[in-house]
Amino acid sequence: MDEKKYKKVANPFIYEGYEGPEYFCDRTEESEKIINYLSNGANITLVSPRKIGKTGLIKHVFYQIRQRQPDAICLYLDIFPTKNQHDFVKMLGEAVVEHVARRQKSVWKKAIEHIGWLRPVISLDPLTGQPTFSVSIEPRNTEATIRHIFDFLNNSKDEVYIAIDEFQTITDYPEQGTEALLRSYIQFVHNVHFIFAGSRQHLMYEIFGSPKRPFYQSTSLVSLSPLHEELYYDFAEHHFKAHRGHIERDIFHDIYERFDGWTWYVQSVLNRLYMTTRQVSKQQQATEAILSLLSDKGPQYESFITLLSDNQLALLKAIASEGRVEQPTSGEFIRNHELPAASSAKAALNFLLDHELVYRDPTRGFIVYDRFMSLWLKRLFG
């Protein structure tokens, strides 16, 4: 079982982490679909843009799995910070070691003996006094360690569920063949179930949809759309009413529409509103909540845009000014915003896309990925 005990929180509009089903909105259909696939032996590819609720859904699925299978092992890894195979194996090994250490000493000892290249280190957190775990791995032994880890998991008597978030990061590793290496072990572990999640949709579709790639058609695809507005409003109103509050439906609609229903942004605004007032009856209240959030983030954005070239910043501001752009390198768009030549605009756009500053919606064009940054740029530069 997961040792975390969920409890009441001061503000029900959680926008980071997962605090239990009471504070999680809907996703009933997606949750059941994922659990059904996993329980029937299918691994999952979960794809969505950032800030829609992918990570929260994974944590919610794990919560439900533990309710049904108390002995299930659920491991969540966000590999976005990893730079190579060594980093990946260290993170996976650390997650496995931390989990088995919670079980019993005999299992801990077995893990250390079985995963031969792991060198677990136990220390005390200087603030909490709680034990923390780290793993030392020799870089030259990463492939052998992967094999040992999967052998250990495969020999476990428990069902194991592993979510690897931002899975497309492995395509940036300098080592060749990481996908093939992982696939060669994953396909033979029968009690270990995987959720491969990612936000760079074109890369995820290529990894799992191209006949030339090792993971081709090896998973069932689940993609996320924004929460249904009516269900989301009911969720919000429920939590306001629970503390003698209320949020007008039309005000919620405006917040939802402004951010296209992207969960993280809507939750952030609701969190700020709940923090300042429980009776949301005027549009100005929502506006002030958004302005407060932009003010908090202003110094971060000011520092960040200094790292962009003039062309990159000019294009970012131009896209923010229009909200959505179908062709940001078209002659008309370049003339309207006095941007440099098309070749320079194209180079700037590629940079912004590669660094996830701009996102291309398959049906609605290009937008600034950080919706708060988009509003901040539009207010600052017009």
Side-chain angles (χ1 to χ4, degrees), residues 164-179:
I164 305 177
D165 207 351
E166 301 303 339
F167 185 71
Q168 75 281 338
T169 302
I170 68 171
T171 62
D172 294 326
Y173 291 171
E175 298 88 354
Q176 298 295 316
T178 301
E179 291 176 48

Side-chain angles (χ1 to χ4, degrees), residues 114-128:
H114 195 87
I115 307 176
W117 296 113
L118 293 181
R119 296 293 181 266
V121 177
I122 306 176
S123 58
L124 296 180
D125 186 287
L127 293 177
T128 67

Side-chain angles (χ1 to χ4, degrees), residues 75-93:
L75 305 176
Y76 171 82
L77 286 72
D78 181 355
I79 67 169
F80 182 74
T82 63
K83 302 300 181 184
N84 48 46
Q85 280 185 12
H86 174 263
D87 291 350
F88 173 84
V89 175
K90 184 178 187 301
M91 183 177 288
L92 177 61

Side-chain angles (χ1 to χ4, degrees), residues 25 70 114 156 165 230 245-246 290-291 325 368:
C25 180
H114 195 87
S156 170
D165 207 351
E230 288 301 313
H246 169 68
I290 294 171
L291 290 174
V325 182
V368 175

Side-chain angles (χ1 to χ4, degrees), residues 106-119:
S106 61
V107 178
W108 163 265
K109 182 178 180 182
K110 181 180 177 182
I112 303 310
E113 293 173 349
H114 195 87
I115 307 176
W117 296 113
L118 293 181
R119 296 293 181 266

